[in-house]
Amino acid sequence: MTTSPADPNAPRLLGFDVPDLHSRVDHAEDEAIVAMLDVEPSSAWLQVFHAHVDALKGELGLAGVAMDGRSIRFFGSIADSRRLANEITGLIKDVAQALSSQR
């Protein structure tokens, strides 16, 4: 089953804006990794996303996560931005799979 890009329950990841990451995160000064989605997530998607991301915060070295329309801002304290981007990609796919299994 293919989900259309306009399905608000399963937004697709368009890409990332990845700044230089630091060993310690300062929300006031540091930039976040921004995951850009094709559509704004629905409330059902957000509920599943927050449950998944809360479980992974410590493992991923995330100091914070903030939603802003079609953007998700991840404040990460790990130096390996490629690994963090890969984990975020997997997280978004996991949320889509969890939603489709609930239907």
Side-chain angles (χ1 to χ4, degrees):
M1 178 176 156
T2 304
T3 305
S4 74
D7 182 355
N9 290 321
R12 292 185 184 174
L13 180 64
L14 296 176
F16 292 98
D17 179 15
V18 182
D20 291 333
L21 298 179
H22 306 283
S23 57
R24 291 186 178 217
V25 176
D26 181 347
H27 286 267
E29 294 185 18
D30 293 346
E31 294 180 64
I33 290 179
V34 179
M36 296 166 283
L37 306 174
D38 64 344
V39 294
E40 190 168 335
S42 67
S43 59
W45 190 94
L46 290 171
Q47 285 179 330
V48 174
F49 172 80
H50 287 298
H52 280 73
V53 81
D54 285 346
L56 293 176
K57 273 187 181 176
E59 180 184 328
L60 298 180
L62 294 175
V65 177
M67 294 293 302
D68 183 18
R70 297 183 339 180
S71 299
I72 310 170
R73 299 178 343 163
F74 294 88
F75 292 91
S77 58
I78 64 171
D80 185 355
S81 59
R82 183 179 303 266
R83 176 177 173 252
L84 182 56
N86 287 337
E87 294 290 345
I88 293 168
T89 300
L91 172 66
I92 291 170
K93 287 179 182 177
D94 290 346
V95 171
Q97 288 178 339
L99 275 176
S100 68
S101 70
Q102 290 177 359
R103 293 182 188 161

